[in-house]
Amino acid sequence: MKQPPEISRLPREPGVYRFRDAAGRVLYIGRATDLRARTASYFGNLGNRPHLVHMVRRIARVEAVACASVHEAAWLERNLLEDRMPRWNRTPGGQEVPLYLRLDAGPATPGLHLTHLPEKATHGPFLGGLRTRVAVRALQKINPLPYAGATLTGAEREMATLYGVRPEDRDRLARALAEVLDRRPQAVREALEALTKRRDQASAALDFERAGKVQEEIEAVEWLTSVQRAFRPAAEDCEVHGWADGVLVSFTVRGGRLAGWRQRRCAPPPHLSRTPPIWQSFAQRNAELAAGLQVTARS
């Protein structure tokens, strides 16, 4: 099957893509680590996705939103699918489960605790239970807060001795974890450098199984700390608009969720200036992307 020409104009960046048929109906919404490679894969060997053959034959147009991270793309995909399920999507909201973290610096049960309840959380939400659990495990190896408690078991006291951790270290370790979860650049960089050192030491010792596990931890921490604006519970409701070369791209933010993706050809609208500063570069980037894809589709 011949792929639409606009696929060659898609960036090799994370994002969300949308397939439409010749009548403009949405067939499918998906997310990608690499938008160009992912969308192109539908027009090659579908392998274990033979059920998509009929859909692919109907694709007449490809649209896309470039995101700041894979995590952001996952949230945007989830938000869009919660609003509306195209025929060829199977799961409302996608596969991942949202999780929150509660950072407890108290003497009884210090550490990072996973929760599904936002009212009990200090950080989040994060999309993807497995990645979140792996990231928590990795961060608490670097900053072993659970072993700085005041009521440790015998085994926990042995681990505290191994890590060189005492109760008086509790506040310092909790601050270090909070800075990583708050996405402070230096804290994130230092955490990733510490994990990278552990991975390289394992590789040098020819312990490739352990090196592989640490690499998974690095990727999970990168996921957890990457830029993610598609769901921020404290975000104010607003309209987001970008315009470029005759194409307007719009989104809505409601209840902290970025969704309501729509685009159309028009003259520059007067409400562009109402887009909040935090969203302006995102909106402009995706208006330029949409305009470029439409030009390619028509040529």
Side-chain angles (χ1 to χ4, degrees):
M1 287 171 281
K2 184 180 179 181
Q3 70 180 38
E6 57 265 38
I7 286 179
S8 64
R9 293 289 298 273
L10 287 170
R12 293 191 174 278
E13 299 173 16
V16 172
Y17 57 92
R18 183 163 66 185
F19 295 144
R20 291 186 182 271
D21 64 15
R25 292 182 292 257
V26 176
L27 299 170
Y28 185 83
I29 292 173
R31 72 162 187 261
T33 299
D34 179 325
L35 281 166
R36 188 187 306 176
R38 179 60 175 168
T39 53
S41 72
Y42 287 87
F43 299 89
N45 183 358
L46 287 171
N48 62 352
R49 300 179 291 168
H51 60 286
L52 295 178
V53 171
H54 297 298
M55 180 198 74
V56 172
R57 288 175 180 156
R58 298 175 61 186
I59 296 172
R61 191 164 84 243
V62 179
E63 299 169 339
V65 175
C67 295
S69 67
V70 182
H71 197 177
E72 184 172 86
W75 270 112
L76 179 56
E77 178 199 40
R78 180 182 183 85
N79 296 344
L80 294 170
L81 291 178
E82 284 182 340
D83 284 352
R84 181 177 298 177
M85 274 278 289
R87 175 183 173 185
W88 294 91
N89 285 96
R90 293 182 170 183
T91 308
Q95 302 289 340
E96 290 94 344
V97 176
L99 278 179
Y100 295 79
L101 294 177
R102 178 173 61 85
L103 177 57
D104 185 350
T109 57
L112 285 172
H113 305 280
L114 286 85
T115 177
H116 293 283
L117 303 175
E119 63 272 18
K120 293 188 176 183
T122 58
H123 295 85
F126 306 101
L127 194 56
L130 177 59
R131 284 189 180 97
T132 304
R133 288 179 172 85
V134 172
V136 166
R137 181 184 71 203
L139 291 174
Q140 293 194 142
K141 287 179 182 177
I142 301 167
N143 297 289
L145 178 59
Y147 301 115
T151 56
L152 301 180
T153 66
E156 289 170 338
R157 284 195 295 272
E158 290 181 7
M159 291 300 297
T161 300
L162 181 64
Y163 277 112
V165 172
R166 297 172 296 178
E168 51 265 38
D169 296 319
R170 191 166 55 248
D171 288 344
R172 173 183 61 81
L173 294 170
R175 282 196 303 272
L177 286 169
E179 288 180 356
V180 174
L181 295 175
D182 291 338
R183 300 183 172 96
R184 302 280 180 87
Q186 182 175 345
V188 173
R189 183 170 58 253
E190 289 175 353
L192 292 173
E193 287 173 351
L195 289 170
T196 299
K197 183 178 179 180
R198 287 170 177 250
R199 181 201 62 195
D200 293 347
Q201 287 174 339
S203 294
L206 304 183
D207 189 347
F208 300 118
E209 181 177 354
R210 184 161 66 93
K213 290 181 179 178
V214 179
Q215 179 59 36
E216 290 177 0
E217 293 175 347
I218 291 171
E219 293 169 2
V221 172
E222 288 176 336
W223 170 275
L224 201 75
T225 58
S226 60
V227 174
Q228 192 288 101
R229 300 158 296 182
F231 183 28
R232 298 178 301 128
E236 294 184 359
D237 290 356
C238 65
E239 298 292 323
V240 176
H241 304 284
W243 184 90
D245 297 328
V247 178
L248 176 68
V249 174
S250 301
F251 303 86
T252 58
V253 177
R254 296 289 183 272
R257 296 167 62 252
L258 177 71
W261 172 23
R262 45 206 195 279
Q263 54 190 64
R264 62 186 175 91
R265 296 196 64 81
C266 65
H271 53 259
L272 281 175
S273 60
R274 299 177 194 167
T275 298
I278 190 174
W279 290 110
Q280 287 175 1
S281 62
F282 171 86
Q284 184 61 31
R285 167 76 177 89
N286 282 297
E288 292 169 359
L289 175 58
L293 294 179
Q294 288 198 12
V295 168
T296 304
R298 292 197 303 270
S299 62

